[in-house]
Amino acid sequence: MMAANAHAPSGAPALEVIGYSKRFGSFAALDDVSMKVRSGSFHVLLGENGAGKSTLVKCIMGYYTPDDGQIMINNREVEIGHPRQAHAHGLGMVYQHFTLVPNMTVLENFLLSRPHVPAVVDWTRERAELEAFLAGMPFTVPLDSAVADLAAGEKQKAEILRQLYLQCRFIILDEPTSVLTPGEADEVLGTIKRMTRRGLITVLMITHKFREVNAFADAVTVLRRGRLAGAGKVADLDNAAMAEMMIGHRDVKQAVDRVARAAGTPVLEIDDLRATDDSGQEAVDSLSLTVHAGEIVGIAGVSGNGQRELIEVLGGQRHAVGGVVRVHGEAYGATRAEMLRHKVACLPEEPLRNACVGHMSVAENMAFRRFDQPPNASGGIWLRRAPMRAAARALIERYRVKTRSPDSPIASLSGGNVQRAVLARELSGDVDLLIVANPCFGLDFGAVAEIRAQIVAARNRGVAVLLVSEDLDEILELADRIAVIFEGRLRHETASCGADIGVIGRAMAGH
Amino acid sequence: MIARDVAMAEPEHSPAHAEPAAAAVSIAGPEIVTGAAAGPSIRMAIDDRWRQAAERVAVPLIALAASSVVFGVFLALVAQVDPLEVYGLMYQGAFGSWFSLQNTLVRAAPLILTALCTALPARLGLVVIGNEGALVAGGVAAASAGLLMHGAAPIAVQLVMAVAGMAVGGLWILAAGWLRHSRGVNETIASLLLTYIAIALMNHLVEGPLRDPQSLNKPSTAPIGEANMIGNLPGTDVHWGLALGVIFCIGTYVLMRHTTFGFAADMAGGNVRAARGMGLNVGRLVAVTCLLGGAAAGLAGMIEVAAVHGRANASLVAGYGYAGILVAFLARHHPLAIVPVAVLMGGISASNGLLQRRLDLPDATVLVLQGVIFVMILAGESLYGRIRLFQPRGA
C-alpha cells in the first residue's frame, strides 16, 4: 500500500490563512497576514529577502506556531502545530536545496521518506506500486538511478513527485528554480502548471523572478516587511504594479549609470588555468580569460561549475594545478606583496566566512589590507591602533556600516553590514583589479542596489572587475562582457549588449 | 541580538535559507550608527568591553571554585580527610611563609615557560601539547652544549646552552607545526607522540653516548660544572629562570598585541581562509609561532639543567610540560595571565610535601586536583556568552 494519509483531501485543496502574526522577540516577522490560495491554482508568494515569506510558509508547515491567526483547508478550520499534522492535511514542501539522499536510488529515497517504513521491505512489490504510481503522473524519473547521478531538474522533479507519492496535494515550492538552468526551470514549472490545470494539485511558490510569475502563476500574494502588501490575479497586475507592492516607496540610490569608455589595457590575464576541488576532482579546466581596465567581465553559470575554485585560486586560497595568472603582465601568485603592488581587491561570497575574522573588531577587520603599511604600522613591525580606528570610523560613516562601535566584533553585525564593511575595506584604497563573487547573496533590496552601484562606480573609475555570479540578472545588469562557465570551462563569451539570453541559457546547461 | 534569536528559533537553519535573519537587516534595528552624536553607544561599547574582560576573569574563577568543591568531596569521601584542613595546609605550604613562597616560585618558573609552548601556537588555532617533549629535548641539547663549551667563560657557556635548548625545543614543536601545515597531520597527536620520542631519545643518550660513568643509579650526562650554573635572584633562593620566564611572557605579549606579526597571527588563527585571501603566508606564521613556543619550553629544559639538576637525566621528565598545558588553558592562552596562573599551579605542587607529611596523603593527591581543574576549565569554556551578567547590553 502507499503511504496512508487518512485525513488527506483527495482533490487539490484550497488553503486560507487569516490574520497570521509571528514575533521573534521585539521583531515582527509576520504582522496580520492573510492569504487565500484557491483549489487547483498556481499561487505565487512574492517579496524581498526578509519580507516574511519563509516565516509564513514555516507557520503553514507547522515548523513555527503563529502567535495569532487561523488556517483553513477547504474552508474548514484546522490546527497545525507540528510538521506531521501539516503532512496529515496533505501539505508538502519542496525546499530550495535538495533533501534527497544523494547516494541512494530514487526508489530507496521515496520509500525512506514514508512516515512508516516497514522493517522488512518487499522491494518487488514496492517497485511495482511505485511504477504504477509514476504511470499516473505527468512526468517520471528513473527509479534505479542514484540521486547524485540525476541532473538538477530531475532532482527537483523527484522532490515534487515524492510529495505527491506521500499524498500531498498542496505543494509549497521554495524558490525551486534557483538551482536550475532557465530551460530546466521552464520545463519543471510548465509541468507543474499543467498539473494544477488538471486539478491534481494546488501550488504555492516562493520566488523573486517576475518572469516565472508572468509565465506560470494564476495569482500572487505580495509581502513587504512582514505585512500583506497586496494580492491579486496575475492577469490583472503588471510588473510595475507588483514591483511597487514588493518594494514600496523608498529612497534607494539607483545603480550608477555606466560611463561609456573604450576598453583599457589588459589587467588580469588568465591563461589555461586548471584547478581541482577539495576532493581532487578537476574543477577549473583550461580556463582562459582577459579582463581590461574599466570593464566588468561577468562569469555566469549554475553554481558548482568551478566558480568557487576559480575565485579561490585568484584570491590566494587555493593552489592552481596548471596555467598562469598574470596581473599587469606579471605572473601573479596572490601573495601579499603582489596584491599590494598590483592593487588587487577581492569581494568573496559569504564575506564573514571568507574575508573576515568574526571575533576581531570591525576596525581590525577593516584594516586587513593595510595593517602592515603606514600609518597603521611603523617600520612595518609596530602596530598602531589609533590610526587604524580613525580610518575605520571614517569608512563606517562613508559606507554607512551599522555598528555599535568600531570595536564591536564584526560577527555581531548583520549580513548586509558585514558586506558593506568588507566593501569599504576593499574599495577604499587605490584599486586596479576587483574580483567579486556573488556580492549580493542573501542581502535585502537596498543593500543590493548600493553594492551594485559601488561596483559600477569602481568600473567607471577604470578598475578592471571580474564578477562571478550565479544570479544571471545581476550579470546582465552589471557586466560589459559575459562569459558562461560550465564544468570548469568557459563555453560562451559575448558582449552584454545584444547578448542572446537563449544562447546564454543553453551555454549554462552545457549546450 | 534579534538576528540571533530568529536564527536560533529556526528549525532548518542554513546559510542560504536565512530569510528571517536577513529580515533584521532591512528593519532599522536598535543598532546605532557611530560617528555622529553617539555618546551613549560609546559608553555602552566601553561597558561591553569591561564585561568581556570581566567574563574572561570570572569564568576561570568559577571553574577553580567548582574544582575545589569537587576535590573537596573527593578528599572527604575517598581520602577521608577534612577538605578545609587540606586547603588550609595547601595555602600554608604554597604561600604561608617566605620559604614556601620561594618554593612555589621555583616551581612556577618552568611552568611559565612550558605554558607558552601551548599558548603561542593556540593563537593560530593549534592545540600543541608536546611541551614535555620540547622541554626534555631542550634540556638534553643544553646539557650537551654546556659540556662542549667546557672551559669557556660561564656567561658564554650559559648563553650557548640557552640558545641550544631553545633551538632544539623550537625545532621539536616546529616539526609538529610543519606536519600540520603541509601534511595535514593533527598537531595535537603529533606533538604528544613527539614527546615520547624526545623522552626515549633522552634515555638513549644518557644511558649511552652521553653517559657519565660515575652516575650509577641514575644514568645522567656529566655535570656541566658548578661554575656554569645559573644563580639565584639577589636576596632569594629563586633562580633566574623565573625572571627569564616573566621576560619571555612580556615579550610574547608585546609580539602578539603590538606588532604586525601578532595581528597577522590573530587573522590566521581566527580564519585561515581570510588570512590566505589577504595574501598572508600562513605557513611562515605557523612556523615562527611553533618555533617560539618550542623555544620557550626548550629554555625551561635548559633552566632545569643549568639551575636545578646541573646535568641532564630522567629528572627532566617531571611533568612540568603537562602542567604547562593546564596553565596555558587556565590563562586562556593570554601571555600575561600565564604568570599568576603558573604561580598558583606552582603553589599547589609546592604544598604537596606538607600534605604528605601532615596528613599522610599520597603524592598523587595534587595530581588529582590538577586533573579536576583541567576538566573544569574545559567544561567552563561552554559558559562563555551564557552568563547574563556579562552579555553585551547594546543590542
Side-chain angles (χ1 to χ4, degrees), chain B residues 22-349:
Chain B
V25 181
S26 57
I27 57 157
E31 304 153 309
I32 300 161
V33 184
T34 49
S41 75
I42 288 172
R43 201 178 321 129
M44 252 182 319
I46 292 171
D47 282 357
D48 283 351
R49 245 192 293 172
W50 276 108
R51 278 198 188 87
Q52 256 186 3
E55 182 179 41
R56 267 175 258 161
V57 175
V59 170
L61 287 182
I62 292 170
L64 276 181
S67 324
S68 45
V69 171
V70 171
F71 184 61
V73 170
F74 165 81
L75 289 172
L77 296 183
V78 179
Q80 311 230 318
V81 289
D82 177 7
L84 291 179
E85 191 187 354
V86 172
Y87 288 136
L89 281 174
M90 285 181 76
Y91 177 78
Q92 216 183 323
F95 308 108
S97 66
W98 178 229
F99 171 81
S100 52
L101 183 63
Q102 291 189 99
N103 187 8
T104 294
L105 292 178
V106 168
R107 289 163 191 268
L111 293 183
I112 293 173
L113 286 165
T114 54
L116 283 171
C117 185
T118 296
L120 267 162
R123 296 300 288 250
L124 280 165
L126 303 180
V127 182
V128 167
I129 58 170
N131 322 25
E132 189 92 4
L135 181 148
V136 168
V140 174
S144 316
L147 293 171
L148 279 176
M149 291 285 291
H150 207 72
I155 183 73
V157 175
Q158 287 161 3
L159 217 59
V160 170
M161 283 178 71
V163 168
M166 287 165 70
V168 171
L171 289 174
W172 214 255
I173 300 302
L174 176 66
W178 178 81
L179 281 169
R180 168 58 193 258
H181 181 73
S182 58
R183 287 286 169 269
V185 179
N186 182 310
E187 78 283 357
T188 313
I189 305 294
S191 62
L192 180 66
L193 296 182
L194 278 167
T195 294
Y196 293 108
I197 296 177
I199 293 170
L201 205 61
M202 186 265 304
N203 283 330
H204 169 74
L205 289 174
V206 299
E207 285 168 21
L210 294 180
R211 181 170 186 173
D212 176 8
Q214 288 176 338
S215 61
L216 298 173
N217 295 329
K218 195 172 196 178
S220 307
T221 62
I224 58 167
E226 200 57 43
N228 294 328
M229 295 288 281
I230 295 181
N232 288 337
L233 290 165
T236 68
D237 288 333
V238 183
H239 56 71
W240 275 95
L242 181 71
L244 290 177
V246 172
I247 291 167
F248 215 123
C249 276
I250 294 172
T252 302
Y253 174 76
V254 170
L255 178 75
M256 284 302 168
R257 177 72 197 165
H258 293 292
T259 69
T260 53
F261 177 87
F263 193 90
D266 268 353
M267 283 169 68
N271 183 351
V272 73
R273 295 177 64 83
R276 289 218 173 89
M278 294 296 130
L280 294 179
N281 188 340
V282 176
R284 205 186 64 186
L285 289 169
V286 167
V288 173
T289 315
C290 285
L291 204 60
L292 282 174
L299 183 63
M302 175 267 176
I303 287 166
E304 283 299 290
V305 169
V308 182
H309 305 297
R311 51 177 65 189
N313 56 30
S315 300
L316 283 174
V317 191
Y320 284 129
Y322 298 118
I325 304 168
L326 177 59
V327 171
F329 273 86
L330 199 51
R332 285 188 64 72
H333 310 300
H334 193 294
L336 294 185
I338 281 176
V339 176
V341 172
V343 170
L344 181 72
M345 287 297 126
I348 290 175
S349 92

Side-chain angles (χ1 to χ4, degrees), chain A residues 46 56 88 119 155 187 232 246 286 310 320 356 386 390 407 423 452 478:
Chain A
L46 262 181
L56 175 60
K155 281 184 207 165
E187 198 203 332
M246 215 166 111
S286 315
L310 172 65
C356 295
D407 301 320
L423 193 74
R452 288 183 182 167
L478 298 180

Side-chain angles (χ1 to χ4, degrees), chain A residues 336-349:
Chain A
R336 196 165 174 83
E338 287 169 341
M339 284 176 183
L340 197 70
R341 188 164 75 240
H342 296 304
K343 298 168 186 151
V344 179
C346 190
L347 197 63
E349 59 185 343

Side-chain angles (χ1 to χ4, degrees), chain A residues 443-479:
Chain A
L443 299 188
D444 69 70
F445 185 86
V448 167
E450 237 178 273
I451 283 166
R452 288 183 182 167
Q454 293 282 359
I455 293 170
V456 174
R459 166 212 178 262
N460 290 345
R461 287 198 303 271
V463 176
V465 182
L466 178 65
L467 168 70
V468 176
S469 176
E470 283 149 24
D471 180 352
L472 185 56
D473 294 333
E474 181 167 71
I475 301 252
L476 291 171
E477 184 185 330
L478 298 180

